[in-house]
Amino acid sequence: MAQDKTIMLPIFLSLLLSASDALVQDFCVGDLSAADTPAGYPCKKVSAVTCDDFVFTGLGKAGNTSNIIKAAVTPAFVGQFPAVNGLGISAARLDLAPGGVVPLHTHPGGSELLVVVQGTICAGFISSANAVYFTTLYKGDTMVFPQGQLHFQINSGNDNAVAIVSFSSPNPGLQITSFALFANSLPSAVVEKVTFLDDEQVKKLKKVLGGTG
Ligand SMILES: *[C@@H]1O[C@H](CO)[C@@H](O)[C@H](O)[C@H]1NC(C)=O
């Protein structure tokens, strides 16, 4: 038995080492010239990767909040920041002017962690059991929005509010419920049926949000 072990150990170790050589990859900076897949983008050649690939400078700048929601989301998802490809993470900056709101929305692909860096934000989510979890967040406060849950952020202060958010996915996606209902060509009659809203309200919202039909 003792002899078997002394023979087996080096064989086992060499198998382990060659397996880890084959499987462990330090990073896979996304090659955005190829198509995205459920497993992410293919990797840019390591010889072409530089330190700059791992740095995203876009979150230092305020987004443009001159829009109907008085809010801007500046993403550092894989599409803007290919270094997060395959790492299961990404980030974004949220700017909310006074009165600004990120309307009810979901990120189908990942959970969200929000850190308030300036101002006051009323934030919350509605679980799939339709339970409501919402509160007022101040500078330094952090809230988590579990994957797929409908959630929102409202600037509830008098000044600009800023938050940095991170996601448990390089490509969490973003779907805003009101835009899904009123900013496309789904016929008003169908929207009325599926929302229980009356014709006047649906047509008004379609006009405001740019929908047709
Ligand atoms: C912000 O967006 C508005 C509306 O699209 C545009 O008119 C304005 O020029 C933009 N401001 C800046 C600083 O880009």
Side-chain angles (χ1 to χ4, degrees), residues 59-100:
L59 302 190
K61 191 166 161 270
N64 186 343
T65 56
S66 299
N67 54 53
I68 190 171
I69 59 175
K70 297 181 183 160
V73 177
T74 306
F77 298 169
V78 68
Q80 299 78 33
F81 190 19
V84 299
N85 188 53
L87 299 184
I89 55 170
S90 62
R93 172 183 173 134
L94 170 59
D95 285 280
L96 292 162

Side-chain angles (χ1 to χ4, degrees), residues 172-208:
L174 166 64
Q175 183 170 37
I176 297 179
T177 313
S178 297
F179 291 8
L181 288 170
F182 308 114
N184 58 29
S185 60
L186 190 63
S188 294
V190 177
V191 178
E192 287 154 28
K193 202 79 184 164
V194 298
T195 60
F196 306 103
L197 293 171
D198 62 37
D199 187 59
E200 193 185 357
Q201 188 69 24
V202 168
K203 295 215 162 108
K204 183 182 139 196
L205 286 164
K206 274 183 174 277
K207 199 163 171 204
V208 171

Side-chain angles (χ1 to χ4, degrees), residues 115-146:
V115 183
V116 180
V117 297
Q118 182 186 318
T120 308
I121 295 175
C122 170
F125 70 92
I126 300 156
S127 74
S128 57
N130 294 319
V132 179
Y133 303 88
F134 84 105
T135 191
T136 301
L137 303 169
Y138 302 92
K139 184 176 173 175
D141 290 348
T142 301
M143 185 167 182
V144 70
F145 306 95

Side-chain angles (χ1 to χ4, degrees), residues 20-34:
S20 66
D21 275 358
L23 293 175
V24 173
Q25 201 176 357
D26 291 332
F27 50 76
C28 174
V29 175
D31 173 4
L32 300 195
S33 67

